[in-house]
Amino acid sequence: MNKYFPKVPKIKYEGADSKNPFAFKHYNPRKKVLGKTMADHCRFAVCYWHTFKGLGGDPFGPGTMIRNYNQSDDPMAVAEMTMEAAFEFFTKLGVNFWCFHDRDIAPEADTLAETNRRLDKIVKLAKSLQQDTGIQLLWGTSNLFSHRRFMAGAATNPSPAVYAYAASQVKKAMEITKELGGKGYTFWGGREGYDTLLNTDLGREMDHLGRFLHMAVEYKKSIRFKGQFYIEPKPKEPTKHQYDCDAGNCHAFLQKYDLVDDFKLNIESNHGTLAGHTFQHELQYCVDNGILGSIDANRGDLMLGWDTDQFPTDIYETTLAMYILLQSGGFTTGGLNFDAKIRRQSIDPEDLFHAHIGAMDAFARGLLNAAKMFRSGKFEKAITKRYAGWETTLGKKIEKGKIGFAELEAYTHKNGEPKIQSGRQELMENMLNEYIA
Ligand code: XLS
Ligand code: CA
Ligand code: CA
């Protein structure tokens, strides 16, 4: 396979001293870290939409990138060439997984039946390329936000006919995800929210979304699809308010609608920051509540208030993310999916490689740093010490629900003003810096 990216060789690990831009300096897939290979820790995936369908368009101008795999007037020929180019890319880069939306891989036709036939044709090609290369599908999903019929949402649309269309699309997307052996299936509520409450029945829309996800669970069981369902939080964009706005909010939604056993979360870094949280916060919330499923790895820009989906390069972020992941025991079905796009001026196909190589190296460094932090036990020890009071009789009685306000008041009268301790934030931050390499 050397047709679509002829200037790029197979990317190999060459070590930190390498000056070769088409080589990994830190990501060594076979290197063992805490008993597991780097490849197994990271489970890197390439996303189809930005990497192969994104051409650099923004609200002020169309795409800037010209690709040899989309030079045809026949949309199905483009779909086939793009799929072949994608597998050449995955193979040269050395990732084991990919992710797609239904409409990324095959263009929509005039009827649902014809659209589904087109999908079947491309899925057949994707399946044979998967077999030839050993590359697997991390997750599939459905695009329920681009077509004009979904302008007011899909599962939260005021029209039941649009709701039905969305259900038909998800049904098919789940079938093809199963056909391709997908490890998971993601629900991202692209337009499930509102632009103004003046025209919106919020409670009813959320009930409809809950029912929609129940139907998806029922259908999943009926076709024996074993992949993990994920819900992906995002607070806004394209809507003013999205119902699945952050990890805590999604968790509450899943609990209210009795869906918490069937879903885990797919946390995207840039969505966390748009919600006013850190990536680290969103991951920690999920781990502490047993709902971390997968990660969309990217980053925002501090100066810009929208979803810039840049490639992750910040070693602090990757270190903290990998530290939380290590604490959680690591991925089972999920992985690190680069839901990221190269900038509008990065017009060459080689830029796609530079972006992914840098991001994979950033996570490899993050993993190595995190493993050192984990092995040292220093951070854990500091937290244990800070909460040591909860191991005393008083702490244990509170945690076990053995005492109430009256006893706590009696304790306070007897013991007087509590002794307080420093939070040592600066010391902890200095300690973290010692591990950033
Ligand atoms: C958009 C989302 C989207 C989901 C999949 O902001 O990140 O790409 O990951 O539909
Ligand atoms: Ca995403
Ligand atoms: Ca995004």
Side-chain angles (χ1 to χ4, degrees):
M1 279 202 222
N2 192 26
K3 188 168 165 191
Y4 298 100
F5 302 99
K7 291 190 193 155
V8 184
K10 167 103 184 107
I11 312 299
K12 295 197 189 96
Y13 169 71
E14 290 186 2
D17 295 333
S18 168
K19 298 280 176 279
N20 178 3
F22 291 112
F24 295 116
K25 319 285 185 298
H26 305 275
Y27 178 61
N28 180 0
R30 281 179 295 277
K31 182 184 167 78
K32 288 247 170 113
V33 180
L34 297 172
K36 218 159 92 174
T37 64
M38 273 192 163
D40 287 341
H41 275 289
C42 298
R43 291 169 64 86
F44 290 126
V46 170
C47 87
Y48 210 89
W49 50 102
H50 289 312
T51 299
F52 305 108
K53 302 304 286 182
L55 296 172
D58 70 13
F60 299 91
T64 50
M65 301 161 193
I66 298 164
R67 298 287 184 249
N68 54 11
Y69 42 85
N70 60 17
Q71 304 305 309
S72 166
D73 294 333
D74 172 2
M76 280 304 280
V78 169
E80 280 169 25
M81 287 190 288
T82 307
M83 187 59 75
E84 282 166 7
F87 275 82
E88 181 180 325
F89 184 86
F90 306 150
T91 312
K92 284 189 168 170
L93 186 63
V95 290
N96 295 328
F97 298 96
W98 65 300
C99 295
F100 71 88
H101 296 87
D102 47 5
R103 300 299 176 254
D104 306 332
I105 59 170
E108 190 155 355
D110 290 340
T111 63
L112 183 65
E114 182 52 26
T115 301
N116 288 351
R117 267 193 292 277
R118 287 180 169 188
L119 266 175
D120 288 337
K121 191 161 180 223
I122 298 296
V123 165
K124 216 168 149 198
L125 173 63
K127 196 172 177 182
S128 84
L129 288 165
Q130 284 193 163
Q131 273 158 1
D132 294 349
T133 57
I135 289 155
Q136 302 174 62
L137 180 62
L138 190 70
W139 50 260
T141 186
S142 183
N143 179 330
L144 303 175
F145 45 87
S146 294
H147 195 282
R148 63 193 291 275
R149 79 174 73 85
F150 297 125
M151 66 181 185
T156 61
N157 199 287
S159 152
V162 176
Y163 188 101
Y165 208 107
S168 322
Q169 212 177 302
V170 170
K171 174 178 174 288
K172 181 70 182 173
M174 269 165 63
E175 290 163 6
I176 60 173
T177 299
K178 177 181 181 240
E179 176 67 14
L180 290 171
K183 308 280 173 238
Y185 185 92
T186 295
F187 291 84
W188 169 61
R191 293 187 194 271
E192 314 292 24
Y194 58 81
D195 295 323
T196 171
L197 275 176
L198 294 174
N199 67 9
T200 303
D201 187 339
L202 179 144
R204 197 168 193 180
E205 290 199 356
M206 293 189 77
D207 287 349
H208 291 170
L209 180 59
R211 186 82 271 282
F212 191 93
L213 297 178
H214 267 288
M215 284 191 253
V217 171
E218 284 156 22
Y219 190 67
K220 176 185 173 197
K221 284 184 186 144
S222 81
I223 62 169
R224 295 197 178 80
F225 170 46
K226 299 276 181 267
Q228 172 67 49
F229 272 174
Y230 306 117
I231 188 159
E232 180 180 328
K234 183 175 181 179
K236 57 187 167 198
E237 199 206 333
T239 56
K240 168 201 179 89
H241 175 86
Q242 221 162 276
Y243 294 136
D244 46 12
C245 68
D246 65 7
N249 171 278
C250 284
H251 191 211
F253 175 89
L254 292 172
Q255 290 175 95
K256 175 179 175 189
Y257 291 99
D258 193 23
L259 287 160
V260 80
D261 294 336
D262 294 295
F263 284 80
K264 285 196 159 65
L265 265 48
N266 179 38
I267 293 299
E268 180 174 317
S269 164
N270 202 173
H271 296 180
T273 50
L274 276 179
H277 306 304
T278 57
F279 182 26
Q280 188 193 2
H281 166 87
E282 290 291 86
L283 293 175
Q284 191 74 60
Y285 181 90
C286 288
V287 170
D288 289 353
N289 288 283
I291 54 170
L292 181 66
S294 199
I295 293 179
D296 272 6
N298 61 14
R299 76 184 151 98
D301 185 308
L302 269 184
M303 299 295 133
L304 302 173
W306 67 90
D307 193 19
T308 60
D309 283 340
Q310 283 165 251
F311 275 84
T313 50
D314 182 333
I315 312 294
Y316 270 89
E317 289 255 295
T318 58
T319 300
L320 291 170
M322 293 315 275
Y323 182 63
I324 296 171
L325 198 66
L326 286 179
Q327 284 175 316
S328 78
F331 289 124
T332 51
T333 53
L336 287 165
N337 170 44
F338 294 117
D339 188 354
K341 57 180 180 237
I342 51 177
R343 299 301 91 188
R344 196 164 184 267
Q345 297 180 53
S346 304
I347 55 175
D348 296 335
E350 294 77 50
D351 289 313
L352 290 171
F353 281 90
H354 296 316
H356 284 86
I357 292 168
M360 289 162 79
D361 267 344
F363 270 96
R365 282 169 77 172
L367 170 63
L368 293 171
N369 294 342
K372 280 192 202 136
M373 286 167 67
F374 190 78
R375 249 186 255 115
S376 81
K378 272 193 188 170
F379 294 85
E380 223 186 306
K381 226 181 276 162
I383 291 179
T384 309
K385 195 172 154 209
R386 188 160 185 238
Y387 290 81
W390 294 92
E391 303 309 321
T392 62
T393 315
L394 173 69
K396 282 190 175 146
K397 275 189 179 163
I398 298 172
E399 284 191 345
K400 290 196 175 123
K402 294 268 191 280
I403 51 175
F405 273 13
E407 292 87 347
L408 293 176
E409 186 197 40
Y411 174 92
T412 304
H413 280 312
K414 186 169 167 222
N415 292 277
E417 191 58 34
K419 238 170 86 188
I420 58 170
Q421 56 174 334
S422 165
R424 298 265 185 269
Q425 180 169 335
E426 296 75 12
L427 177 67
M428 299 291 284
E429 287 166 351
N430 296 351
M431 229 158 86
L432 173 62
N433 266 356
E434 295 301 313
Y435 290 90
I436 304 291

